[in-house]
Amino acid sequence: KNNNKKYLNIFEIKDFKFDLAYTADLIRAKHTLDEILKTIKQEDIKVIVAPEIKERHYGVFTKKDKWQVKEEVGEEEFQKIRRSWDYQPEGGESLQQVNERFWKFYLSEVLPKLKTGQNILMASSGNAFRGLIKSLENLSEEEIANIEFGIGEAYVYEIDESGKVLSKEIRNQNPLAGKQ
């Protein structure tokens, strides 16, 4: 059973005609993008799989249930693992490292398309987007650590031809953001 489907059916982005979509090279990101495109009836757009925008690598904690990790390491360490900007779990990567790879990709691949007026749809994970949002909105390390994403939310940014963020809108805000 796909519990996310009920949220995806109410995505409030049907009013956009997308020119291109990017997805992380992870199965859940690809499935999410497929569901979104199906729901908004835009399955015919070009989709580019981009490993640069994938989820943070959690090293020794990879493939472990996050709540089990919390129980195993305690609240303070758990928050450091999940939200700290520069903490790198053994064998993994920090949020700062995720931001560096995602931001480089954004600047070289996505922004030039946005500057020409194209509408771009991206599907990835919360931590990948957390890094991008930090750079787009010029947030501090403390501010970005407090950003929570909810299932079914869509972050819509308007970018001008110089690359500046003109506006941000969160559509379909989920009151359970960060609790799921």
Side-chain angles (χ1 to χ4, degrees):
K1 182 177 177 186
N2 182 352
N3 291 330
N4 294 342
K5 194 167 186 172
K6 64 184 175 186
Y7 295 103
L8 293 171
N9 286 336
I10 55 175
F11 254 43
E12 297 178 17
I13 57 173
K14 290 182 180 183
D15 55 328
F16 289 98
K17 173 65 177 126
F18 291 100
D19 299 295
L20 179 66
Y22 291 97
T23 182
D25 62 347
L26 301 174
I27 293 170
R28 70 174 188 221
K30 291 176 185 178
H31 286 173
T32 297
L33 181 61
D34 289 345
E35 283 296 319
I36 292 168
L37 293 174
K38 181 178 168 185
T39 299
I40 65 173
K41 298 179 178 20
Q42 294 186 41
E43 295 169 276
D44 58 335
I45 70 168
K46 181 178 179 181
V47 173
I48 297 173
V49 177
E52 298 88 347
I53 69 171
K54 71 180 164 193
E55 168 67 285
R56 175 182 180 183
H57 190 306
Y58 282 96
V60 296
F61 301 109
T62 298
K63 296 186 180 182
K64 290 186 175 182
D65 177 88
K66 67 181 175 183
W67 306 120
Q68 289 173 334
V69 170
K70 181 178 180 179
E71 190 174 305
E72 181 182 318
V73 301
E75 177 69 30
E76 187 176 330
E77 183 72 9
F78 179 70
Q79 289 306 320
K80 192 164 51 170
I81 292 165
R82 292 196 69 225
R83 296 292 184 257
S84 175
W85 180 248
D86 56 2
Y87 178 79
Q88 185 176 351
E90 182 185 334
E93 62 185 338
S94 68
L95 186 54
Q96 182 177 18
Q97 291 170 312
V98 174
N99 171 261
E100 288 168 4
R101 72 171 148 77
F102 199 141
W103 187 244
K104 182 178 175 182
F105 178 81
Y106 172 81
L107 292 175
S108 66
E109 297 295 324
V110 179
L111 185 58
K113 293 170 178 67
L114 293 173
K115 286 181 175 182
T116 66
Q118 293 184 50
N119 287 326
I120 307 295
L121 177 62
M122 300 179 82
S124 187
S125 66
N127 272 323
F129 284 127
R130 189 170 274 108
L132 178 64
I133 288 170
K134 181 186 185 306
S135 294
L136 283 175
E137 298 181 27
N138 198 26
L139 299 175
S140 70
E141 294 170 16
E142 293 76 28
E143 289 171 315
I144 200 59
N146 294 319
I147 298 287
E148 294 289 355
F149 302 99
I151 294 172
E153 291 181 339
Y155 281 56
V156 179
Y157 287 90
E158 182 181 1
I159 309 290
D160 72 10
E161 49 286 331
S162 72
K164 180 182 173 196
V165 174
L166 296 176
S167 66
K168 170 190 172 183
E169 180 183 2
I170 303 173
R171 294 187 176 192
N172 194 43
Q173 284 194 310
N174 186 335
L176 297 177
K179 298 174 180 73
Q180 301 161 302

